[in-house]
Amino acid sequence: MNRKLLKSNSFEVSATLPIVSIILGLFTVATSFGETPTNASGFADIFETIKREASPEELYAFLYDMPKGGDLHHHHGGSNIPESWYQVATDPQRNGGQYYYTRYRIMNCGEELPPPGLRGGSGSLMYWVNINKRSWITLSDCEQSEYKPLEDLTEKERQAWMSSIVLDRPGEGQNEFFEYHWSRLNHIFSNPYLMAELLVDNMKRFGAEGLHYFEPQINVFRYHDKEGNPITPHEVYEIYKERINRPDALATGVTVRCQLTILRFLPNSPDHVAGAFDFIDKHRDLWRGINLAGREDNEKGHPRRFTEAFDNALRQYPGIGISIHAGEENEPSEHIADTLRLGATRIGHGVNLIEDRDTMNLMRTGKFFVEINLISNELLGYVDDIAEHPFPVYLRQGIPVCLNTDDRGMWDSNMTDEFFVAVTNFNLSWEEIVLMGNYSLEFSFAQSDVKKQLLESFQRDLESFAKKYSGGDWRTPLKSVKPVTYGYGKNHLGLKL
Ligand SMILES: [Zn+2]
């Protein structure tokens, strides 16, 4: 990994915050974070000392312990670490009574290709595709013999199964991710009880690394129960709502609000916009925004195709957040400009914004936000080298940004990894870390009273954190921190944790 701890510069960025606060109507909190927290005001120098003197493992522990604002770009289906998928999918007590089978060998049972759910993107048969018991029963004897109950995998098979949903091998990138990972998970996705359980698993894991808020993109359509009966979108909402209000979820202290995402490249994708707005409108306590996801480089994936559908929805529905993936591309395009035209105030990724002069200058007004996903862009090859990522240019030109995890389950990473990569490659200052945390909460789609509480609790936690490490000996408090890292931290960052 390219680790560049440059000499600190004293560039003042926090002055832009009150402007954003005024735009968003957050007068009450604007003054409280127009500058770095009172107790943390001298902390910038201590942070510089830590960056200079800490070992990578110490810096990681520090960043793990550090309070974090919100994770605004977070696909629920891609955000679960493989161990959690396996645990919940093999535990009928936690997944609504379902049993899953996975293809562990290929017997060439017939001439015909299996149905789309059982194939990879190229149409070929693939290993480790998961089906529910109801589907397994309908297969021929030969086909059934290709599958094993998930809970019966040997340890070696279990490791291969987990690896099949992570970008962990040389050469795996966009194709493996877009065409195979999601197809392999297959029926495991279509169980809202299991997915709600995993949401709480993530509340616990993210809460442990100091995150205050996240905004998962969660599907509510096309779910079925174990008998195959459809579960309505409203029932899906009820399932999630009940689960995140149980004591173990509340104890995490993490606030969750959701987005509904439309796959952008289907033949009839624009027709889904009206239904998505309608669902969000009726479930505003939990669902707050809409998104478009999927390959932009698909011939049907471009944003201009959705203009009429969004205009029609905006004639009808007030106050629904619009965050849309745009500029997650290897080539320059007009996608970000076209996406702002749809009504988006937040752009997911924005990697090629740097090549669109006028739109970039427009976004420096502070009204628009870019959700940065460093590890995602690195592993999917949208940047050749993470050190060349445009993120610090956006940040230091005054475009509001924050760090996000995107599909961290498939990178086998966490929020701390994003901060570690940003600090070590781009020499983030303490002011910048605080600024991005505040931005992430201000630009969230949470209700304004929730947002205010989140900003206040984030501020309080930052002050206690600064106090904890301000005693002149930052190493002593760090000893009690037990950071959790996953495959990315161990293999890509080389951390010995
Ligand atoms: Zn995304």
Side-chain angles (χ1 to χ4, degrees):
M1 189 199 62
N2 189 328
R3 299 192 69 231
K4 286 197 295 191
L5 277 177
L6 304 171
K7 196 168 181 299
S8 167
N9 65 52
S10 57
F11 181 50
E12 179 56 67
V13 284
S14 55
T16 56
L17 252 175
I19 300 166
V20 176
S21 306
I22 290 162
I23 290 162
L24 294 175
L26 293 168
F27 298 104
T28 48
V29 290
T31 50
S32 67
F33 54 77
E35 44 199 55
T36 42
T38 319
N39 289 346
S41 56
F43 198 66
D45 292 340
I46 295 172
F47 184 57
E48 292 305 315
T49 306
I50 293 172
K51 282 196 294 185
R52 207 169 43 243
E53 295 179 1
S55 69
E57 288 73 19
E58 285 173 331
L59 179 63
Y60 193 88
F62 175 84
L63 294 173
Y64 186 87
D65 196 30
M66 180 181 78
K68 299 165 187 75
D71 182 6
L72 302 189
H73 193 113
H74 178 118
H75 298 267
H76 182 36
S79 70
N80 305 293
I81 59 163
E83 288 85 353
S84 296
W85 278 119
Y86 188 81
Q87 279 166 12
V88 180
T90 55
D91 187 350
Q93 306 271 7
R94 296 177 70 195
N95 71 25
Q98 296 249 27
Y99 294 87
Y100 294 95
Y101 290 71
T102 191
R103 182 187 270 131
Y104 75 109
R105 59 181 184 174
I106 289 178
M107 305 292 284
N108 296 314
C109 294
E111 297 292 311
E112 289 180 27
L113 281 174
L118 307 187
R119 295 182 231 150
S122 63
S124 62
L125 289 165
M126 62 179 173
Y127 286 94
W128 310 121
V129 64
N130 300 286
I131 58 174
N132 56 28
K133 189 172 184 179
R134 183 166 50 82
S135 300
W136 180 80
I137 287 168
T138 65
L139 299 178
S140 68
D141 288 350
C142 175
E143 288 165 330
Q144 283 187 354
S145 74
E146 294 184 324
Y147 289 83
K148 246 189 187 187
L150 253 192
E151 61 271 25
D152 290 352
L153 297 183
T154 63
E155 183 52 27
K156 199 175 160 201
E157 289 165 345
R158 197 176 76 91
Q159 294 299 332
W161 183 89
M162 292 198 295
S163 170
S164 79
I165 47 173
V166 174
L167 290 184
D168 56 356
R169 292 171 191 217
E172 290 184 345
Q174 291 174 21
N175 198 46
E176 174 75 8
F177 172 74
F178 284 111
E179 311 297 340
Y180 290 90
H181 278 184
W182 305 88
S183 309
R184 281 196 190 103
L185 283 164
N186 196 30
H187 291 165
I188 296 182
F189 279 132
S190 56
N191 176 349
Y193 294 99
L194 181 152
M195 295 306 286
E197 192 66 22
L198 286 173
L199 183 65
V200 175
D201 182 74
N202 263 338
M203 289 170 77
K204 293 174 185 173
R205 291 178 188 274
F206 279 100
E209 46 177 337
L211 195 75
H212 283 62
Y213 174 82
F214 65 109
E215 208 166 83
Q217 299 171 40
I218 300 183
N219 175 41
V220 296
F221 298 107
R222 298 174 297 282
Y223 281 119
H224 294 87
D225 67 15
K226 63 181 174 186
E227 276 85 35
N229 304 310
I231 303 176
T232 67
H234 179 71
E235 288 167 337
V236 173
Y237 156 84
E238 297 280 10
I239 290 165
Y240 275 101
K241 190 170 176 179
E242 185 277 326
R243 185 63 189 92
I244 65 170
N245 280 297
R246 284 192 217 159
D248 64 332
L250 296 172
T252 63
V254 178
T255 301
V256 174
R257 293 292 182 273
C258 311
Q259 296 178 25
L260 190 57
T261 295
I262 294 170
L263 261 186
R264 65 194 310 156
F265 52 73
L266 302 176
N268 58 347
S269 293
D271 300 342
H272 298 159
V273 171
F277 268 90
D278 184 60
F279 172 83
I280 299 164
D281 183 49
K282 292 188 169 83
H283 303 90
R284 285 175 184 257
D285 61 329
L286 200 49
W287 261 264
R288 304 291 305 164
I290 189 169
N291 209 317
L292 299 178
R295 282 189 116 133
E296 281 173 68
D297 57 8
N298 182 288
E299 60 181 12
K300 287 193 163 55
H302 64 90
R304 210 171 286 179
R305 188 173 168 236
F306 293 86
T307 309
E308 192 183 345
F310 271 76
D311 285 355
N312 286 338
L314 290 175
R315 289 188 177 96
Q316 205 173 339
Y317 301 102
I320 289 177
I322 304 176
S323 169
I324 298 178
H325 288 66
E328 186 189 16
E329 294 171 279
N330 294 103
E331 308 295 332
S333 73
E334 296 178 355
H335 284 184
I336 295 175
D338 289 341
T339 301
L340 296 179
R341 167 62 185 86
L342 298 183
T345 54
R346 287 173 24 195
I347 294 295
H349 295 281
V351 178
N352 71 6
L353 175 64
I354 197 139
E355 303 187 69
D356 179 350
R357 181 195 62 191
D358 292 347
T359 310
M360 189 162 160
N361 287 341
L362 169 70
M363 293 183 78
R364 289 173 64 191
T365 59
K367 292 183 183 177
F368 307 105
F369 187 81
V370 184
E371 302 156 4
I372 301 292
N373 304 282
L374 296 174
I375 294 171
S376 169
N377 297 157
E378 177 194 24
L379 295 187
L380 294 180
Y382 290 109
V383 288
D384 292 334
D385 178 347
I386 195 68
E388 302 298 320
H389 199 285
F391 149 71
V393 182
Y394 302 161
L395 170 70
R396 290 165 182 161
Q397 288 201 2
I399 297 174
V401 291
C402 74
L403 301 177
N404 305 277
T405 60
D406 200 9
D407 295 288
R408 69 91 172 225
M410 294 172 178
W411 333 137
D412 207 16
S413 69
N414 62 10
M415 195 65 175
T416 306
D417 292 340
E418 302 286 342
F419 278 91
F420 186 87
V421 167
V423 168
T424 54
N425 282 282
F426 307 119
N427 186 32
L428 288 187
S429 67
W430 183 247
E431 287 89 343
E432 288 170 332
I433 287 178
V434 173
L435 178 71
M436 285 198 294
N438 283 321
Y439 275 150
S440 69
L441 298 174
E442 282 195 47
F443 277 88
S444 78
F445 294 146
Q447 293 86 341
S448 52
D449 57 332
V450 175
K451 211 180 270 196
K452 183 169 177 287
Q453 285 168 12
L454 285 165
L455 283 159
E456 286 168 356
S457 72
F458 179 54
Q459 173 86 2
R460 272 197 307 274
D461 289 356
L462 280 175
E463 287 178 7
S464 330
F465 178 77
K467 204 170 167 189
K468 177 176 172 183
Y469 290 95
S470 288
D473 170 20
W474 54 267
R475 278 203 166 92
T476 300
L478 205 55
K479 285 192 183 111
S480 60
V481 179
K482 302 285 173 245
V484 175
T485 194
Y486 304 101
Y488 183 89
K490 290 177 181 135
N491 303 323
H492 284 253
L493 301 178
L495 295 165
K496 294 174 186 63
L497 289 166

